Amino acid sequence: MSLQTGSTAQRADVRRWRRYLADERAEAAVYRNLAARRDGEEREILSALAEAEGRHEQHWLDLLGDDVGRPQRGSLRTRVLAVLAKRFGSVFVLALMQRAEDRSPYADDDDATARMAADERIHGEVVRGLANRGRMRLSGTFRAAVFGANDGLVSNLALIIGISASGADRHFVLLSGIAGLLAGALSMGAGEYVSVRSQRELLRASAPHPEAGRAVADLDVDANELALVYRARGMSEAAAQDHAAEVLGGRATTSTVATDDHEAIGNGMSAAVSSFCFFASGAIIPVLPYLFRLEGWAAIALAAVLVGIALLGTGAVVGVLSGASPLRRALRQLAIGFGAAAVTYGLGLLFGTGSA
């Protein structure tokens, strides 16, 4: 007898199993689409994840039997991710898939095996690792972009609202906003360039000297300080002695423990340009109402609405990339930005010549 002709509980089981089946197929499609846009090791890893989702798909097919019915569509979230993966294949999709795997319901569902629940947890860690690779590649420029945009939004909104509250006319507020945009963007760009360049120079200074490896051939095998080099770089005494013996024996190189974090830090010029552009793009938003000849409360209200939307957007993006709740991060960004604006508005009223 078909389960669909059985009890209400059995029909509910069928619906749930069909939903799981559709989600597994949709998740497999996400991984296949991501794999198609990758190469090398990442392509192999993503293809393996797609195959693993096929195992889970088969489990629900076996349970459904004749009740499998017409293929259903997966959840809207997963279907959107599949489309994004096919067209973009970005780190944002991986970050969203990480959250999806972490929220798997299998651990609390008696019809899913413990092995399946464990698979989903491991899949989440695999996707987390791949997403972290993307985050590392983005970290330098993306950090400058996000911080630049948020600084531009908050600082210029606060500046404009504070000056508006002091009773200044529209032209003065507009000039102040443009001046704040240029000064802040130039300052952010210059500061980011100096910061990233300094970090890269510090890393370069910490790397082994290029001539050090050539000295190994002339060391006294029985009396040398090579092991101290590795202890100074963080190895334990025993590990340093073993590695020094391997180097002297020709089984390893002197650069084995050297690290290179330049990719994570980013390029100084790209970070500076990104910081400048994103600060300017954020700082121009609260100026827009005054460019269109609005003033007083109408201009302040519109500037606050536009900046609020932008803050929600940047907060959500950061939340997605960090694997946290996009909504929570968005609301946090909004609260911080509006809090700063409220303080400066109060100061403008306190020290100004009248209300806007």
Side-chain angles (χ1 to χ4, degrees):
M1 180 181 67
S2 171
L3 284 177
Q4 288 182 301
T5 63
S7 67
T8 302
Q10 289 175 322
R11 291 195 297 271
D13 287 340
V14 169
R15 288 194 297 270
R16 190 176 74 258
W17 298 344
R18 285 176 176 174
R19 186 174 68 251
Y20 287 157
L21 175 62
D23 286 341
E24 291 292 354
R25 287 171 170 170
E27 288 178 9
V30 173
Y31 291 132
R32 283 194 298 269
N33 291 340
L34 285 171
R37 301 185 65 87
R38 298 293 203 279
D39 51 30
E41 185 181 43
E42 289 191 8
R43 186 188 188 102
E44 294 177 5
I45 292 172
L46 290 164
S47 297
L49 287 176
E51 292 178 9
E53 299 296 348
R55 295 198 307 268
H56 298 175
E57 175 186 341
Q58 188 59 49
H59 172 82
W60 301 119
L61 285 172
D62 292 341
L63 276 180
L64 285 165
D66 295 336
D67 294 292
V68 65
R70 296 175 59 186
Q72 295 186 1
R73 306 175 77 182
S75 66
L76 177 61
R77 175 195 295 269
T78 309
R79 285 187 280 121
V80 170
L81 287 177
V83 173
L84 293 176
K86 185 175 183 178
R87 294 187 177 272
F88 304 106
S90 69
V91 65
F92 292 93
V93 178
L94 284 169
L96 288 169
M97 280 303 298
Q98 172 188 322
R99 286 178 54 79
E101 295 284 8
D102 288 342
R103 291 195 302 268
S104 172
Y106 289 170
D108 300 318
D109 195 311
D110 292 336
D111 293 321
T113 67
R115 182 172 297 175
M116 291 170 64
D119 282 347
E120 294 295 306
R121 180 61 63 189
I122 295 302
H123 293 176
E125 293 306 309
V126 174
V127 177
R128 191 188 309 275
L130 292 175
N132 284 343
R133 291 186 181 187
R135 292 184 186 110
M136 291 293 285
R137 289 192 289 264
L138 281 175
S139 60
T141 302
F142 181 76
R143 174 177 57 85
V146 171
F147 289 166
N150 276 281
D151 283 352
L153 288 165
V154 175
S155 64
N156 232 26
L157 177 65
L159 173 66
I160 285 173
I161 285 182
I163 293 176
S164 294
S166 72
D169 61 27
R170 183 184 69 84
H171 295 286
F172 186 77
V173 175
L174 178 59
L175 288 174
S176 299
I178 293 174
L181 183 158
L182 293 174
L186 288 169
S187 175
M188 286 288 293
E192 194 66 33
Y193 179 81
V194 171
S195 173
V196 173
R197 287 290 299 179
S198 297
Q199 285 180 283
R200 293 177 69 88
E201 288 166 0
L202 286 172
L203 279 175
R204 192 176 296 116
S206 302
H209 193 283
E211 298 295 327
R214 300 177 185 177
V216 172
D218 297 324
L219 289 176
D220 186 330
V221 175
D222 298 318
N224 64 77
E225 289 70 47
L226 185 58
L228 298 181
V229 174
Y230 304 113
R231 291 177 64 184
R233 293 180 187 172
M235 280 189 175
S236 66
E237 182 176 0
Q241 293 287 355
D242 291 341
H243 188 64
E246 291 177 355
V247 171
L248 290 171
R251 299 188 301 276
T253 66
T254 56
S255 59
T256 299
V257 298
T259 60
D260 187 359
D261 295 326
H262 290 66
E263 184 179 13
I265 293 174
N267 177 272
M269 184 57 69
S270 65
V273 171
S274 177
S275 184
F276 177 93
C277 292
F278 277 87
F279 184 97
S281 66
I284 193 64
I285 290 177
V287 178
L288 292 176
Y290 298 91
L291 287 174
F292 289 99
R293 299 184 178 279
L294 293 179
E295 55 184 323
W297 276 107
I300 291 175
L302 181 56
V305 169
L306 293 175
V307 169
I309 294 171
L311 287 172
L312 288 172
T314 57
V317 168
V318 172
V320 168
L321 279 180
S322 63
S325 168
L327 178 60
R328 185 175 301 174
R329 290 296 178 92
L331 293 176
R332 186 180 70 178
Q333 294 283 86
L334 185 66
I336 293 172
F338 278 8
V343 170
T344 54
Y345 182 77
L347 293 174
L349 289 176
L350 180 65
F351 297 107
T353 58
S355 65

